[in-house]
Amino acid sequence: MMRESRTLTVAIDCPAAEVYAFVADGANLPRWAAGLGTGARPVEGGWEVPTEAGTAFLRYADENVFGVLDHTVRLPQGGEVYVPMRVIADRETSLVLFTVFREAGMTDAQFAADVQAVAHDLDTLAALLRRV
């Protein structure tokens, strides 16, 4: 059975290559992804990220020219979450697409809160990278 999902999009006044490089650098996670803790440390194969629930592990798709930033997050309590993410060039600006899947057992309120949190993170990302 297909899971419920929601794809969020944010426009960023910044070239796609710059957006991709910024997001792909896990050291920048605390600057824009509030749900992923206050720091990130590179480890073999990805990034260790301290969270309120313990240490998570994030692994991005291999570097590519297509703007694919899909990643998996291994949660501190166990289990792994797949997160599709893309940066699409639109001339000198970018669109960032981020899909949120409804995980098993999530209530409507929990799913809505997850979507809202990601929307806030994407707005933060756009504000950080906006050209002045």
Side-chain angles (χ1 to χ4, degrees):
M1 178 177 229
M2 187 175 272
R3 292 184 291 168
E4 182 179 356
S5 67
R6 175 104 187 268
T7 299
L8 305 172
T9 305
V10 66
I12 301 179
D13 186 17
C14 185
E18 289 178 35
V19 174
Y20 178 90
F22 183 86
V23 174
D25 182 353
N28 291 321
L29 281 168
R31 296 180 63 194
W32 68 274
L36 287 178
T38 57
R41 185 173 75 84
V43 295
E44 187 172 335
W47 296 86
E48 278 188 350
V49 184
T51 71
E52 290 179 10
T55 301
F57 177 78
L58 186 138
R59 183 181 68 243
Y60 284 108
D62 291 338
E63 186 175 340
N64 62 85
V65 297
F66 302 108
V68 176
L69 286 163
D70 290 10
H71 52 282
T72 56
V73 180
R74 190 171 57 234
L75 304 171
Q77 64 272 27
E80 207 169 72
V81 177
Y82 168 64
V83 182
M85 186 175 186
R86 307 285 188 279
V87 178
I88 299 171
D90 183 14
R91 297 186 180 141
E92 290 301 310
T93 65
S94 305
L95 291 176
V96 176
L97 289 74
F98 190 113
T99 299
V100 180
F101 285 109
R102 184 177 189 150
E103 297 300 323
M106 266 188 171
T107 66
D108 290 344
Q110 288 170 321
F111 183 59
D114 203 16
V115 169
Q116 185 174 17
V118 170
H120 180 267
D121 289 348
L122 292 176
D123 288 343
T124 301
L125 179 64
L128 281 170
L129 296 177
R130 183 178 321 138
R131 292 183 181 170
V132 180

